Each structure stands twice: as C-alpha cells, then as structure tokens.
Amino acid sequence: MDNLSVNSYITRKARSSKNTALRYTRRLNVFAQFVFQKYDLTLDELIKTLTTHSHGPKIDVYDLLSEYVSYIQEQKDVSPLTFKILMSCARNYLETF
C-alpha cells in the first residue's frame, strides 16, 4: 500500500509479529478497496478528510462503517468470524487517527 497512515499503522502492528502485520495489511486492503470504490479516496485521503475541517467531502464515520458492513455482506463471501475481524480492523485503524 502506498498510504503513509497505513504504513505507520502496519509498522506498529509488526512490532508484535510479522504475521500479524501481514494479516492486518490484507484486511486493510479490503477496507481500502471499499473506500476507493465508494468515495474515490485513498486511506490517507480518508484520514485527512475525517480529521481536518477541509473543503473536501464530508464523511460521517458512522455512515462509513455502516456502508462498509453492507459492502462486506454484499461483495465478500466471508464467515461471521472473518466479518467481525474485518470490521474490527477497520474500526481500530480509524481510531488510531
């Protein structure tokens, strides 16, 4: 991923384990695909939009996560556990910033 915020997040996760970092990278790729399809933004751009009062798109984080739930349910064929893990990863990533 070419996102500074993602790289920073993954680097912190890699301190625990390289495998953990790999898994988080895969999970964030799913979230990044959703964000790009829905908002035409990278994850770095999303973080800037959510954390600054700019003239860019106004995105409500609760709507974002609700739409991500729908995206996973409609676009991905995943188990309930994988669903929970994908959501947890996206939430944790957004809480970091």
Side-chain angles (χ1 to χ4, degrees), residues 29-50:
N29 278 331
V30 174
F31 185 57
Q33 288 170 356
F34 160 74
V35 169
F36 187 76
Q37 286 177 7
K38 179 72 179 172
Y39 300 102
D40 197 30
L41 296 172
T42 66
L43 289 182
D44 276 349
E45 292 167 335
L46 175 67
I47 295 300
K48 286 179 188 170
T49 300
L50 293 173

Side-chain angles (χ1 to χ4, degrees), residues 77-88:
D77 184 23
V78 297
S79 71
L81 179 59
T82 301
F83 173 83
K84 182 178 176 180
I85 291 169
L86 287 170
M87 287 304 301
S88 176

Side-chain angles (χ1 to χ4, degrees), residues 16-92:
S16 301
S17 162
K18 296 281 186 207
N19 285 333
T20 299
L22 254 173
R23 286 187 293 252
Y24 271 83
T25 300
R26 287 188 202 124
R27 294 170 192 154
L28 283 177
N29 278 331
V30 174
F31 185 57
Q33 288 170 356
F34 160 74
V35 169
F36 187 76
Q37 286 177 7
K38 179 72 179 172
Y39 300 102
D40 197 30
L41 296 172
T42 66
L43 289 182
D44 276 349
E45 292 167 335
L46 175 67
I47 295 300
K48 286 179 188 170
T49 300
L50 293 173
T51 58
T52 61
H53 300 302
S54 64
H55 294 91
K58 306 293 186 240
I59 299 172
D60 180 271
V61 71
Y62 297 106
D63 290 340
L64 168 81
L65 290 172
S66 177
E67 291 166 352
Y68 186 49
V69 166
S70 297
Y71 172 81
I72 294 170
Q73 290 174 336
E74 294 169 6
Q75 303 292 324
K76 305 293 178 186
D77 184 23
V78 297
S79 71
L81 179 59
T82 301
F83 173 83
K84 182 178 176 180
I85 291 169
L86 287 170
M87 287 304 301
S88 176
C89 181
R91 250 190 342 266
N92 186 271

